[in-house]
Amino acid sequence: MVQMAIELRNVLKQRRNKTIGPLTINLPKGYITALVGQNGSGKSTLLNLLMQLTNPEEGEIYWFENRYDSGLPLELRQTVAYVPETSITEENHWNAEEAAQFRQHWYPNWDESYFQDLMDRFEVPYHMRLSKMSKGERRKFEIAAALASRPSLLLLDEPSSGLDPFAWKIMIETLLKYMDENNATIIISTHIVEEVRRLADYIVLMHRGELLGMAEKDSLFGTWTEVWVQVADEEELAELSEELPGAIHFTMDTPGVASFIIEQFSKNEKRIQDLGVKVIKSRSLELDEILSLWTQGHRPILIDHKRGD
Ligand SMILES: Nc1ncnc2c1ncn2[C@@H]1O[C@H](COP(=O)(O)OP(=O)(O)OP(=O)(O)O)[C@@H](O)[C@H]1O
C-alpha cells in the first residue's frame, strides 16, 4: 500500500484577495509530485502551509500520518528541506562555505562531500557572499544545500527559475538520481512542462486557489486526441458534433477539412467511421495542451496504461 507523505483535509487559507482551498489531497511518499497552475493559483501557499510558515484557517494537515498543530517537531524539520521562491535574506552576509557550516549544525544528515560535489558540478563560487551571487548561482547553491541535508521530504518552489539550460539539466539529473538512491518524497511547483514531463510521477493541478485534481502523469498521455476529418460543409460538421457529445473545439480548417478534439479516440474511431466520416489524420495532445484543457474545465478521463485501457 502506498504511504502518504502529506495529507490535506479541507484545508482553507484566506489570503487578502483570494481564498485558497478547500484543499483535500494525499501526496504519496517516495514519489515526485508536481504542483502546476497559473500565477497566483496557490502553489507557493500550499508549500508554505507544509512548512508551517503560514497556518490554515480551517482543515487539517498530516505529515507522515501525524498532525502537528502546535509546530513541527525538530526531528521532522531536520528531515525536511525547502527551497523557497525567493531566498531568505538572513544568510546574505555569508559565503556558501559559511552557510553550509551553519546548515551542517542544523541538519544531522548533512553530507559535506555531496554538497561540495554538487557545488562543483553547478560551478557555484564557494567564497562569494550569497548576496553577491547572480540569481542562478544563488538558486544552484540553495538546491545543492537542500539536497546535501539528505532530506526525506524536499519542497521546491520553482527551483529552475533563473537556471541556464546547462544547470537545469544537472538539476533534473541530480533530482532523479537522488530519488533513485533514497526513499524520498519531492513536491515541486513549476511552470515548465518539460520539468513535469521529466520529473513528475504525479501532477496536482491548481487554478485560482482551487484544486482541479491530481493525476498520475503517465495516465494523462493519450487522453485527448486532435482529429482531422473530411466533411462537406459547416452543416455536416454541426451534425457530427451532435453525434460526438464529448468532443470539443470543432473547427472548419480549410474547405472540406475539419478538426476537433476528442477523448479516448481509440474507442470512438469506429463510431466516427460508422457515421460515414473519413478520418484524415490524428495526433495525441501534448502534456501542456492536456493541462491547458483541464484548466479550462475539460478534466481528462485518465488512462490506466498498465491495464491497456
Ligand atoms: N503573504 C501573502 N499575503 C497576502 N496574499 C498573498 C500572500 N501570498 C500570496 N498571496 C495571494 O495568494 C494567492 C496565491 O498566491 P501563491 O503565491 O500561492 O500562488 P502561486 O501559484 O505560487 O503563483 P506563482 O506561480 O505566481 O508563483 C495570490 O492571489 C496572491 O496574491
Side-chain angles (χ1 to χ4, degrees):
M1 204 181 83
V2 179
Q3 286 182 306
M4 291 306 145
I6 298 289
E7 287 183 58
L8 277 80
R9 293 195 198 148
N10 293 313
V11 170
L12 201 95
K13 178 71 204 167
Q14 198 69 50
R15 289 301 201 188
R16 204 178 309 126
N17 53 352
K18 192 176 281 177
T19 305
I20 310 293
L23 308 172
T24 295
I25 197 159
N26 294 336
L27 306 179
K29 186 169 174 251
Y31 293 94
I32 303 184
T33 300
L35 307 178
V36 299
Q38 293 165 355
N39 293 135
S41 56
K43 304 179 297 295
S44 299
T45 302
L46 175 51
L47 292 174
N48 285 335
L49 286 165
L50 300 186
M51 288 302 294
Q52 286 194 342
L53 294 170
T54 185
N55 289 313
E57 271 77 43
E58 287 177 32
E60 295 135 40
I61 305 179
Y62 294 79
W63 288 261
F64 302 101
E65 286 157 27
N66 293 297
R67 262 179 90 173
Y68 301 106
D69 289 347
S70 49
L72 298 178
L74 180 66
E75 311 84 71
L76 177 65
R77 279 183 177 273
Q78 288 173 326
T79 62
V80 179
Y82 171 50
V83 175
E85 204 169 6
T86 356
S87 303
I88 52 163
T89 51
E90 279 82 353
E91 291 182 325
N92 274 356
H93 59 288
W94 282 331
N95 65 29
E97 199 173 9
E98 290 160 339
Q101 269 168 17
F102 176 76
R103 292 184 189 216
Q104 198 160 7
H105 288 297
W106 173 254
Y107 288 109
N109 296 333
W110 181 266
D111 185 338
E112 183 62 23
S113 69
Y114 184 42
F115 176 66
Q116 292 187 12
D117 179 43
L118 289 175
M119 291 287 282
D120 290 346
R121 288 198 68 200
F122 274 139
E123 297 181 20
V124 183
Y126 242 86
H127 301 289
M128 184 186 269
R129 268 194 191 197
L130 299 187
S131 60
K132 295 271 184 279
M133 287 183 180
S134 75
K135 187 181 173 201
E137 286 168 340
R138 178 74 183 256
R139 211 79 192 131
K140 291 190 283 190
F141 159 76
E142 300 289 354
I143 295 166
L147 282 162
S149 71
R150 293 260 171 219
S152 308
L153 176 60
L154 176 58
L155 308 176
L156 301 167
D157 201 346
E158 293 180 37
S160 53
S161 153
L163 296 194
D164 64 48
F166 185 68
W168 182 80
K169 193 161 170 277
I170 296 174
M171 181 191 79
I172 300 284
E173 288 164 1
T174 306
L175 292 176
L176 289 173
K177 188 153 185 275
Y178 189 78
M179 289 301 285
D180 259 2
E181 293 169 356
N182 300 273
N183 183 25
T185 304
I186 299 183
I187 302 169
I188 177 172
S189 99
T190 176
H191 289 286
I192 300 170
V193 178
E194 193 49 27
E195 208 161 281
V196 178
R197 198 193 317 278
R198 296 276 296 274
L199 289 178
D201 298 299
Y202 292 91
I203 298 175
V204 167
L205 182 60
M206 299 191 69
H207 187 56
R208 297 188 179 152
E210 285 179 35
L211 193 73
L212 291 189
M214 176 167 176
E216 213 177 337
K217 181 192 63 190
D218 290 344
S219 68
L220 286 173
F221 293 111
T223 47
W224 289 100
T225 306
E226 185 171 18
V227 184
W228 285 265
V229 290
Q230 244 175 29
V231 284
D233 48 28
E234 294 276 359
E235 203 178 319
E236 200 183 322
L237 185 61
E239 281 168 21
L240 179 64
S241 74
E242 275 168 32
E243 295 291 339
L244 300 172
I248 54 172
H249 295 186
F250 285 87
T251 319
M252 202 75 190
D253 287 352
T254 52
V257 178
S259 63
F260 57 88
I261 293 170
I262 191 164
E263 273 185 297
Q264 299 185 304
F265 178 54
S266 54
K267 283 189 180 164
N268 284 304
E269 191 168 7
K270 180 155 182 334
R271 176 162 168 67
I272 296 167
Q273 283 161 357
D274 288 349
L275 292 167
V277 175
K278 186 173 170 353
V279 173
I280 302 168
K281 63 172 180 171
S282 64
R283 71 163 184 109
S284 287
L285 292 202
E286 300 288 340
L287 187 56
D288 58 329
E289 297 171 303
I290 295 166
L291 293 175
S292 164
L293 281 179
W294 193 352
T295 305
Q296 292 160 28
H298 302 293
R299 194 194 169 100
I301 299 172
L302 303 176
I303 295 176
D304 188 344
H305 288 290
K306 290 177 212 108
R307 278 188 14 210
D309 285 6

